[in-house]
Amino acid sequence: MNSETFVLPQEKNKESASTPLMKQYEELKAAHPDEILLFRLGDFYEMFLEDARIAAPVLEVTLTQRQNIPMCGIPYHAMDRYISKLIKKGFKVAIAEQMEDPDATKGIVKRAVVRVMSAGTIIEENLLTEKSNNFLIAISFSEAREGAIGIAALDISTGQFQLTELDGNNDFSNLRDEISRMNPSEIVLADNDKPFNFLNERTVSIFPNREWMKTETPVIDSLKERLRADHPVLWQASNLLLRYLQKMNPDSLQNLREPILISRKDSMSLDKETIENLELLRNSFDGTEEKTLLQFLDRTMTGMGARLLKQWIASPLINLSKIKERLYAVDYFVQESTLRIQCRNALKGCSDLERLCMRIASGHASPRDALGLKISLSRAREIKKLLSASNWNQADAISTEPPQKISQLTSELDDCAQILDLIATALSDDPPITLENGGAIREGYNADLDQKRKAAAEGKSCLQELEAREKEKTGITTLKIGYTSVFGYYLEVTRAHLSKVPTAWHRKQTLVN
């Protein structure tokens, strides 16, 4: 591995000296004892000791040994596929990357854990289900057994943050039903709260203690002010959730939406058995969405719409004014069939803006994501024009005037013209998958970048032009451009012309002549 010597130590209960590389691994693993540590070594991520024993059968890779130390590895370019297998089995994963170029480093390459992933904290598009929320929830209980229950739920991939307070009961059926409705990917409990039997089939993470988070953020300050006095159990759940999130993915804290307080008084409380027996979201045969009410109703064009529809089905409205507001909006598009078709066509090809914006905000977006944002904002502009220009035909409508919801949507829809224009100006028409591949920025957008591209593409002629310019500028007729692996490219001047050398030049080496 370049300058790194890859020699494994013996098991910890045997006396032997670890190599610097393995000492580095052991230090990182000690900081992440509950996660499978993927340790980057060149083109592979390696796992050692107990991590290797656990991961090898899950990943279906060969468990090998060096010096009696179990180990297994996966290629770096297929990392997501293997991580998905681990997360689906309920494991957490810590990714240790090389923070330096091995070819340019003498001795041990610096490594650091750059990401910790679990079922409820992933944002990678290929690890998520497009039409389902990926909720991470934290549960808190009041001291009395039949007291209130607080649920803080967050979909980190969209920033959706909601709080629900339930009335407690002896069998915790309210909690069981709420969990069935939300179907969270991961549940966080404090270490003094014992998991319930109905959580046996779910991924449950136990957080060490209930101490208040020391690092304050605007989100935490806001929640303190709003909840601590009037909804203490919701504050406890929120605090637990945010502390866990700070440990797993601290950068995501700054990208959360303002939390919404969910009132179950506006929606019907469907218990777990009702949702399952009516096959609203999943069938009773194989647990998929085939032949369910959701599949029958779902004509959505985007992942955002599909997720919203699923939430509506699981929590049907009982508030009459809200039912009418939704009904009039649906009827509007039933009557305006041409407008409906035009809007559906405009939505085709739209990216999942909720998840896309979170990837951008967290610094995980690719050039293709920027292209997706450009296309989606263009479609938003088109939809706003369609809604603004539509003529209300009330002949067969159940409402005598255009629904207020549609008018509100039209006025509030922001096509983010400045961002759209910037992307259209700066981004190339066919950007690469990653920035490392180059070519993401449109030619002509940045003069310095264009010059560097030209130098890379026409290196020899550029060097000849530079040499000619410097000869003319300095009057040094014998000036030459040379190259060494130590200095890179340099300007060579004979001793006879030393007095003509500009003061801005830096001397790197002096030879006889």
Side-chain angles (χ1 to χ4, degrees):
M1 300 293 170
N2 298 306
S3 57
E4 297 180 275
T5 304
F6 182 58
V7 181
L8 291 170
Q10 303 297 320
E11 295 278 9
K12 287 188 177 180
N13 59 355
K14 299 179 182 179
E15 292 185 3
S16 67
S18 293
T19 65
L21 179 67
M22 286 308 298
K23 285 180 180 178
Q24 185 186 63
Y25 169 81
E26 290 164 357
E27 288 173 0
L28 293 174
K29 180 58 186 174
H32 296 274
D34 300 325
E35 290 86 40
I36 302 291
L37 179 62
L38 302 186
F39 189 77
R40 182 70 180 265
L41 275 172
D43 291 338
F44 285 83
Y45 289 98
E46 299 289 349
M47 289 149 277
F48 302 112
L49 303 170
E50 191 61 26
D51 279 2
R53 293 191 187 100
I54 294 171
V58 175
L59 300 177
E60 298 178 295
V61 297
T62 303
L63 180 67
T64 60
Q65 292 195 49
R66 287 191 190 178
Q67 299 178 351
N68 298 320
I69 301 300
M71 62 178 292
C72 65
I74 58 173
Y76 81 96
H77 57 80
M79 175 181 71
D80 288 348
R81 177 161 56 91
Y82 288 102
I83 287 178
S84 177
K85 291 183 178 182
L86 291 171
I87 287 177
K88 285 179 180 177
K89 289 293 184 179
F91 295 107
K92 298 182 180 70
V93 178
I95 302 171
E97 291 285 3
Q98 295 174 164
M99 308 306 288
E100 300 171 320
D101 182 358
D103 293 329
T105 303
K106 293 183 179 180
I108 192 76
V109 173
K110 182 180 178 183
R111 289 178 178 82
V113 171
V114 298
R115 184 81 195 281
V116 182
M117 304 169 71
S118 65
T121 61
I122 53 177
I123 60 173
E124 286 74 11
E125 187 176 15
N126 55 341
L127 299 180
L128 295 166
T129 302
E130 180 189 17
K131 294 189 174 185
S132 298
N133 281 103
N134 193 61
F135 280 120
L136 167 71
I137 73 170
I139 306 172
S140 188
F141 305 89
S142 58
E143 293 183 3
R145 177 171 175 78
E146 297 183 27
I149 301 171
I151 300 177
L154 170 68
D155 183 344
I156 191 176
S157 70
T158 66
Q160 183 179 345
F161 189 7
Q162 61 189 49
L163 309 174
T164 308
E165 186 169 333
L166 304 175
D167 295 327
N169 48 29
N170 277 323
D171 60 359
F172 293 98
S173 58
N174 287 352
L175 175 61
R176 182 193 62 172
D177 295 340
E178 186 66 20
I179 290 174
S180 180
R181 272 194 294 273
M182 298 187 69
N183 193 28
S185 299
E186 185 177 0
I187 299 171
V188 183
L189 298 174
D191 59 355
N192 53 340
D193 292 325
K194 296 181 179 179
F196 303 94
N197 290 334
F198 57 80
L199 300 182
N200 287 345
E201 300 301 317
R202 298 188 178 274
T203 300
V204 177
S205 298
I206 305 298
F207 203 69
N209 54 61
R210 285 183 179 272
E211 290 181 7
W212 290 52
M213 188 158 41
K214 296 178 181 179
T215 305
E216 300 294 325
T217 70
V219 174
I220 299 169
D221 289 339
S222 173
L223 285 174
K224 264 188 185 179
E225 187 175 339
R226 291 171 52 185
L227 300 175
R228 194 170 181 181
D230 297 331
H231 301 278
V233 73
L234 286 183
W235 163 240
Q236 291 171 11
S238 302
N239 192 31
L240 179 62
L241 178 77
L242 294 175
R243 284 190 294 118
Y244 181 76
L245 191 59
Q246 187 181 48
K247 172 179 177 282
M248 298 295 290
N249 191 350
D251 291 341
S252 61
L253 283 175
Q254 60 188 352
N255 301 320
L256 304 184
R257 298 186 200 171
E258 186 71 15
I260 299 173
L261 191 60
I262 302 295
S263 173
R264 289 302 170 202
K265 295 179 182 179
D266 292 332
S267 60
M268 186 181 298
S269 180
L270 301 178
D271 59 35
K272 181 176 183 289
E273 287 73 20
T274 299
I275 293 174
E276 292 177 353
N277 293 336
L278 293 179
E279 296 184 309
L280 300 181
L281 306 177
R282 293 178 292 278
N283 67 49
S284 55
F285 175 66
D286 59 6
T288 68
E289 294 178 1
E290 293 292 322
K291 299 181 179 179
T292 60
L293 178 64
L294 173 63
Q295 186 191 48
F296 178 75
L297 294 177
D298 190 359
R299 298 295 182 269
T300 57
M301 304 299 293
T302 67
M304 298 174 286
R307 293 193 295 270
L308 182 60
L309 177 63
K310 183 177 285 189
Q311 292 178 28
W312 284 358
I313 292 174
S315 301
L317 291 172
I318 57 175
N319 182 298
L320 183 58
S321 64
K322 291 183 180 295
I323 291 174
K324 286 182 176 179
E325 182 183 72
R326 186 180 296 174
L327 178 62
Y328 292 162
V330 170
D331 182 62
Y332 176 78
F333 284 106
V334 170
Q335 302 303 325
E336 297 292 320
S337 58
T338 301
L339 175 64
R340 182 180 73 249
I341 293 170
Q342 289 173 329
C343 287
R344 285 175 62 82
N345 287 335
L347 286 170
K348 286 180 181 177
C350 268
S351 298
D352 191 329
L353 279 173
E354 285 183 321
R355 287 179 171 170
L356 175 56
C357 289
M358 287 301 292
R359 289 200 299 276
I360 292 172
S362 60
H364 289 86
S366 69
R368 293 282 176 87
D369 284 331
L371 179 62
L373 181 60
K374 171 191 168 183
I375 294 171
S376 302
L377 293 179
S378 299
R379 302 293 171 85
R381 177 181 288 180
E382 183 180 345
I383 291 170
K384 184 166 186 171
K385 287 180 180 178
L386 289 170
L387 293 176
S388 301
S390 65
N391 296 314
W392 173 235
N393 177 14
Q394 60 178 16
D396 299 314
I398 59 176
S399 174
T400 58
E401 58 185 19
Q404 183 180 359
K405 193 73 175 175
I406 302 298
S407 301
Q408 181 183 352
L409 173 65
T410 306
S411 62
E412 292 181 353
L413 188 59
D414 186 352
D415 60 14
C416 304
Q418 287 183 317
I419 296 175
L420 178 57
D421 293 343
L422 174 62
I423 297 174
T425 304
L427 189 71
S428 62
D429 292 331
D430 186 22
I433 297 176
T434 64
L435 279 174
E436 289 76 10
N437 292 336
I441 304 301
R442 185 185 296 275
E443 188 175 344
Y445 177 72
N446 184 284
D448 289 341
L449 179 59
D450 288 343
Q451 187 177 4
K452 288 179 172 62
R453 277 182 176 158
K454 183 180 179 182
E458 307 170 11
K460 188 173 182 179
S461 61
C462 283
L463 288 173
Q464 289 172 345
E465 290 174 9
L466 175 62
E467 184 178 294
R469 284 199 306 271
E470 293 302 322
K471 281 182 178 180
E472 183 179 355
K473 191 186 302 181
T474 61
I476 304 175
T477 56
T478 58
L479 181 147
K480 293 180 182 178
I481 291 180
Y483 175 85
T484 68
S485 59
V486 178
F487 297 133
Y489 288 99
Y490 61 89
L491 297 165
E492 182 180 274
V493 179
T494 58
R495 187 176 296 276
H497 294 281
L498 194 58
S499 60
K500 299 177 183 178
V501 171
T503 56
W505 291 13
H506 299 282
R507 188 189 69 82
K508 301 300 291 184
Q509 189 178 44
T510 300
L511 303 176
V512 175
N513 295 319

